[in-house]
Amino acid sequence: MSLQLQAPSPNSTKQLPPSESFTASQLVYFSSISENTKRFVDKLGHEAARIPLYSSDPHLVTTAPFVLLLPTYGGEEGKHSIPPQVMKFLNDVRNRENIRGVIGAGNTNFGTAYCLAARKIAAKLRIPELYRFELMGTPDDVRRVDEGLEEFWKQQ
């Protein structure tokens, strides 16, 4: 018995993964492999969308106003403080048009670079930096961010 391979039909279509993923979440966040930021977001009482960690994942596109929550990457005196995945996300004009504020996570061991990513984004995009917290945050940080987001969206 011989195995015969057939060439794919010109009419056959291969299902490709979607190149974009859309969200109307009011909270968008990035979390690295450590997932410190994800653990903080999971404690909040808000639906949230995660910026993809891997370039092979579909690109996230916002369809409504949102607040960005992100960590600061350390080292090199803050030169690369904004994660590259966040840079890619914000390089999409659709996402820049929808961002309304930013929340920073960081490590006080970074000194002046503490939460630098949030500060840089706030300055560049002329949006408010709403809050800063260290690492995974404390229960007080969770409460303050939760209440602060509620109040922020009432004023928008």
Side-chain angles (χ1 to χ4, degrees), residues 17 19 29 34 40 54 61 67 78 99 101 123 132 134 140 152-153:
S19 61
Y29 72 98
S34 73
F40 183 85
Y54 302 105
V61 178
V67 168
I99 191 169
R132 296 178 191 168
E134 185 166 12
D140 279 343
F152 179 77
W153 289 117

Side-chain angles (χ1 to χ4, degrees), residues 51-117:
I51 296 171
L53 185 57
Y54 302 105
S55 59
S56 59
D57 293 334
H59 174 67
L60 184 65
V61 178
T62 60
T63 59
F66 69 94
V67 168
L68 175 64
L69 193 154
L70 78 157
T72 291
Y73 278 12
E76 300 181 34
E77 299 172 352
K79 287 182 184 172
H80 300 287
S81 59
I82 301 173
Q85 296 90 333
V86 175
M87 295 292 289
K88 177 182 175 185
F89 172 79
L90 291 175
N91 279 334
D92 185 325
V93 68
R94 297 170 292 181
N95 295 329
R96 280 196 318 276
E97 288 174 349
N98 284 323
I99 191 169
R100 297 296 184 269
V102 62
I103 297 170
N107 186 327
T108 54
N109 288 341
F110 293 167
T112 59
Y114 173 66
C115 292
L116 184 58

Side-chain angles (χ1 to χ4, degrees), residues 6 20 25 30 39 43 48 64 109 121 127 140 143 145:
Q6 293 182 336
E20 294 182 330
S25 294
F30 177 74
R39 283 192 282 279
K43 295 173 192 173
N109 288 341
I121 290 169
I127 57 171
D140 279 343
R143 181 185 50 77
V145 169

